[in-house]
Amino acid sequence: MPWNLEPQQMLYVTATVALYGAILATLNFLREQQKDKIKLEITARDALIDPPSVWTKSIEIVNNSSFEIEITSVGFILESKDCLVFMPDADHWYKIPDSISLKKSRIYPIRIERIKTLLNSKGINTGIRLKPFVTVNGKSFSGKPFLFNPDEIA
């Protein structure tokens, strides 16, 4: 033995090195798990798209993941947990499915009239809380809810 250690002391040194290695391996594993996680920032805001002058509720998605993602649907979740899913307008302002590179954002404008029409078809004519959502790889992600009152928007 290069060091003059008792067998019991050698056992403690070995156990300490093994424990240190296990802790480092666990931390590395957890960091890798976080890398593979989809991280999105989803916000909704009023927007006027020009031309033509059309009021929309825009859903902005910021990809904070470390890889490119593919959006397969966008829409709003109602208080009743029903979903209003929107596909591209005839104006082709955006396309679905759509890819967003890492650290980039994309805005999906949805016509206010389309939202009103879908809410009316569900019997909702007054203010309601909506939550923007997107679907990525079969998983839904949502943003902060907001009050949508169809009568207050032009």
Side-chain angles (χ1 to χ4, degrees):
M1 274 192 211
W3 300 317
N4 195 8
L5 297 175
E6 298 289 323
Q8 188 68 22
Q9 291 173 321
M10 197 58 144
L11 181 64
Y12 289 135
V13 170
T14 304
T16 303
V17 170
L19 181 63
Y20 181 71
I23 290 170
L24 285 179
T26 302
L27 291 175
N28 191 37
F29 172 77
L30 293 174
R31 187 174 343 122
E32 288 298 317
Q33 290 289 80
Q34 287 293 84
K35 263 190 204 175
D36 295 342
K37 203 173 198 180
I38 297 174
K39 299 173 195 152
L40 302 177
E41 183 180 322
I42 304 166
T43 54
R45 61 181 58 107
D46 293 328
L48 183 62
I49 303 296
D50 202 33
S53 292
V54 176
W55 278 104
T56 67
K57 195 57 124 166
S58 293
I59 298 177
E60 181 179 16
I61 303 155
V62 179
N63 180 12
N64 291 322
S65 307
S66 59
F67 50 89
E68 185 175 285
I69 60 167
E70 183 174 83
I71 304 294
T72 53
S73 65
V74 296
F76 299 104
I77 300 172
L78 304 174
E79 291 172 323
S80 63
K81 305 294 184 210
D82 286 341
C83 292
L84 302 178
V85 178
F86 294 91
M87 298 313 280
D89 280 332
D91 300 324
H92 301 291
W93 284 333
Y94 59 91
K95 61 185 174 88
I96 299 281
D98 190 16
S99 296
I100 303 176
S101 301
L102 57 142
K103 307 301 180 196
K104 300 285 183 184
S105 68
R106 182 92 67 234
I107 296 175
Y108 298 94
I110 300 169
R111 293 173 183 249
I112 296 294
E113 288 303 319
R114 291 186 71 205
I115 299 171
K116 285 182 184 179
T117 302
L118 278 173
L119 288 175
N120 286 337
S121 72
K122 293 185 176 286
I124 302 169
N125 299 323
T126 58
I128 185 170
R129 293 192 72 73
L130 298 176
K131 187 187 297 189
F133 85 94
V134 297
T135 306
V136 177
N137 300 334
K139 294 181 182 176
S140 287
F141 299 87
S142 60
K144 292 182 180 177
F146 61 93
L147 184 62
F148 179 78
N149 191 348
D151 299 328
E152 292 180 2
I153 298 175

